Every structure is written in structure tokens, then in C-alpha cells.
Amino acid sequence: MAANANLVAALEGASSPERPFIESSGVAATYGDAFAHVRKIAGGLKALGLEPGDRVTAIGHKSVEQFLLYLGCLAGGYVYHPINPAYTTAEFAYFFENAEPSLIVADPALSDSVGEALDGRAVEVLSLDANGRGSATERWSSTAESAYAEVGPADFGALLYSSGTTGKPKGIPISHGALLANAKALVSSWGLQAADVLVHALPIYHVHGLFISMNSCMLANTQVRFLPKFDVELVLDALAGATVMMGVPTYYSRLLNAPRLSREAPGMRLFVSGSAPLTTPVFEAFERLTGHAILERYGMTETGIITSNPLNGERKAGTVGQPLAGVEVRVTNASVEEGGTQPVGDIEVRGASVFGAYWRLEDPTRDDFDDERWFKTGDQGYFDADNYLHIVGRAKDMVITGGLNVYPKEVEVVLDALPAVSESAVFGVPHADFGEAVVGVVVAGAGEHFEEAAAIKTLKSSLANYKIPKRLLVVDELPRNAMGKVEKAKLRGLHQGLFAAG
């Protein structure tokens, strides 16, 4: 019989029970304590009548208990489905309908929104607040520990969503085998070890904070300082005695503005940046001030981490490094653009960490994979002479703001529904803090008067806050090419200095 491929079993097998694992708000737990609690959660979920493969939707704020719920779901053979608690009721409703969860664990402050989004569906809802307390913890605190479910490497452990160009988020099931493969590659690439102490300030409804940082560090037996959120002062305090930090570019740009940031954390050996492009000015300023060259890497929800600048070797500003072990990356359909010097093409990837298919979507799966299982990332770039990957653009026009993905079509659909709007175009422009800012231009309908503030207020009832354009500008017409397609590259060029002052 094949060995159990359960990710949590592998993580516990690599751990030392007595090792300090996670510390948050002055409370600490060892690896042994944490895994015992994970088995209690798995037992509690089983007692609720869940079957292997059932989805558990989690909508809550960051807490140790919320993270252990993720592990408990995988331990029991269930599929963990995290949702950003900042989403609106309409967004919740879409996820509930598409993922069809058997259980929802939500912050009690969201109970009205969750109830409205369920719209009469018979799904059990348990509460879990920001302090890790609620009916969920009461339920599994009184149940027996459960043994780890037997799963194969292709069995799903998590279901996340990434918006598509149609405006509808696409479900991305991620297997136990893919999660473990990527964690192993990162432990090797970044030299993670038991002696390390990670500063964790990322959200855990996102791949970066949930999988990339936590799975890899647990596999290495690393200690984690689990901050409730990113806060400059909290992070600076946590850096004392720590060795590793993983963050998005916005974190590093904000740390640069803190007078306390200097060479005061001599024990730090590694700062990692991802989820959005790190600008060369931030890279260079951080190195000048701290003596540390930030290690930038590249990944996606669908693939895990694909490439990384080296731990030992040159970390090139403006590049995302070389392919990780076990991952193949290629650039296809390359050509030299007018005025360019490098043949830029489509970035494609395959390997053990790449997902297998979109959730219940055959056509997009067929479109994004070729017959040899190469996944088309939608990004464009090139490899330099040293085999470092440079990303120059995103074919799908995605905007990455503060490390979170925004697809313009999703915002445009809501904008175009406003009475005063004839048509719109949404795109990203450089922003000193967020990396990119979401911006929209609108053409007002005949005889209509468009009010920017009123439109933004309306959008907030339908979209999560990070998706809301920071500016909505009125134009007479949208620039289009000969085929009638809106030229977003031209719009980005026209407005790239909109936030030049930060």
C-alpha cells in the first residue's frame, strides 16, 4: 500500500515535538502541542459528519486557531477554502454557490453577511473570532483526536480562487502533493532550518501567508512569530532575534520610512519578497540601509513558487531569479518588440507543484494547459544570459496592489453598470506604497454627469476594498486599436505618473 500522502502527516513527521513552533500575542505552542490540537480539530470536523473531500469555507481574521483549522482540514481529508473577510456579501454568495461548502467557519461579526449570502442554503455555520474563540472551538474541544486521513498525492487539500478575465473568479484546487513539493523546494532553495525564526506578518487567506511561508517553515522545524497583521512597529519589534521575514513589496517600502530600520537586527539572514514586483529603487534603498539584498521570487496560486533569486549568489534587482528544483519554466512565442532588445514571450511552467485543473471549468483548463501539461501563466518575460527570469508584463492585464490580485474586468463590470457610465477601462499604474494602484477611466453616458466620489462609494458595496480604484477619471473616449480593442498599455503610459508623489 502506498504511503499516506497527507501533507500534515509529512509536516509532523519532520518536526520535533518539543521544539517551539508558533508565538502570537505572548502565547506560545510547541510543535507537539500544535499537532495534538490539529488532530482535535480533525476529530471535531469528523464529528460534524463531514466526508473526505468536503469543502470547509473559512472567513475570518488572522489567528493561530484559524491557521490550525487549515491544518485540521487537511489532516481530516477535507478541503480548506479560505476567503478574504473583506469581501462583500455578493462576493461571499458567489463563493458559496461555486465551492458548495459543507461547513462555514466565520467571524461572528460577519454572521449577517454570511447568512444573507447563503440565501437559504442549508449549510452549518460555526463562529471563530479574531482571538480564536467561538462555537467552532467549543465544538472540537470536546471531541477526541482523529488519526490522519489516508490521501493520495493528487487529492485536494485546498481550494483557492483567482479572478479571471471574464470577471468571475476561478476555483484552483491544490493537492497535498503539490503543497508538499513546493515546501520541499523552498526549504532547499532558501536554506530554511530549525534554527530559523520567521517573522510572519502576512494574511493567511492568501497563498503567500498560508502555504509559501508556513508550510515551508513547518517542514524545516522553524519557529514562527505570528503577528496579527502587518504593522511597522510590530514588525520592527519582532525582527529582534529573528532570522527570516517574508513579505510583499509594500511591507518593505513602508519599513524604509521607519526611522528605526537600520542594521539593528544583525541576526536576520534573509528577507524575501513576492506576490507583486519589487521595484529596483526599493531593492537598492533597502540594501543600502540594512545591508540586506531582498530575495525576490515569482509564483502564482496555480503553481506555487516557480523561480527564486539565489540564497547564495547574485540577487538581481528587477528579476525573479531562476527555476526552482522540480519546476520547468520556458518562454514561448518570443519576439523582439519595437524598441526592445530582448525576445519577450509567454511564460509557461510545469512541475509537481502545479495544479491539475480549474474547479469544474473544462474550457479554461483546456485553454491554459497544452497537451504536454505546460501551464500558461499569462505573464510575459524573458531569460537573461544567466538564466534569470525577467517579467515584463501580464498578458491578462492583472493588477497586483499590495500583494493582492485584481483583474480589471471584474471592476469594469461593476463600473459599467452605473447609470452615468457608458463604458470604462481599469488598469494599474505605479504606486510607491502599494506597488500598483487600481485606476479607472470612464466615458460618461450622453447627458450624464459622473461623480467620482459617489461612484467609488457605490463600488464599495459590491467589491472588496483593495479592488476599488484609487482614482476614476473621466475621458471623452477610450483609446482603441484597429480591431476595436481598448489599448490599456496606452492608458497605463498616459497615467503612469498619477501617483508619482506616492
Side-chain angles (χ1 to χ4, degrees), residues 152-290:
D155 288 332
F156 300 152
L159 176 64
L160 285 86
Y161 281 77
S162 181
S163 298
T165 54
T166 62
K168 288 291 186 183
K170 293 179 291 192
I172 302 165
I174 306 175
S175 70
H176 285 255
L179 292 170
L180 182 58
N182 209 221
K184 286 181 175 179
L186 294 177
V187 169
S188 174
S189 180
W190 296 342
L192 298 172
Q193 54 193 301
D196 278 324
V197 177
L198 171 73
V199 175
H200 191 293
L202 294 157
I204 57 171
Y205 53 76
H206 190 270
V207 169
H208 194 168
L210 187 61
F211 302 149
I212 305 311
S213 55
M214 293 302 291
N215 288 349
S216 59
C217 284
M218 291 186 74
L219 194 64
N221 229 5
T222 292
Q223 184 178 351
V224 179
R225 293 180 177 172
F226 203 70
L227 305 183
K229 62 180 181 179
F230 176 80
D231 176 271
V232 169
E233 295 303 317
L234 288 178
V235 168
L236 289 172
D237 289 342
L239 288 178
T243 62
V244 178
M245 176 179 163
M246 301 183 197
V248 299
T250 301
Y251 292 3
Y252 295 109
S253 66
R254 291 183 180 179
L255 285 171
L256 281 171
N257 293 323
R260 290 174 55 193
L261 181 68
S262 63
R263 299 175 185 265
E264 294 175 0
M268 288 295 295
R269 70 172 186 84
L270 182 62
F271 290 92
V272 180
S273 181
S275 296
L278 180 71
T279 65
T280 298
V282 170
F283 177 91
E284 293 175 344
F286 198 88
E287 186 172 18
R288 284 196 304 270
L289 188 60
T290 68

Side-chain angles (χ1 to χ4, degrees), residues 441-456:
V441 294
V442 302
V443 177
E448 296 283 353
H449 177 66
F450 179 82
E451 291 282 350
E452 180 181 22
I456 288 176

Side-chain angles (χ1 to χ4, degrees), residues 47 85 108 130 154 157-158 276 278 308 310 326 424-425:
L278 180 71
S308 173
S424 67

Side-chain angles (χ1 to χ4, degrees), residues 51 69 84 148 236 313 403 408 439 484:
E51 298 291 336
L69 172 61
N84 185 341
Y148 295 136
L236 289 172
V439 173

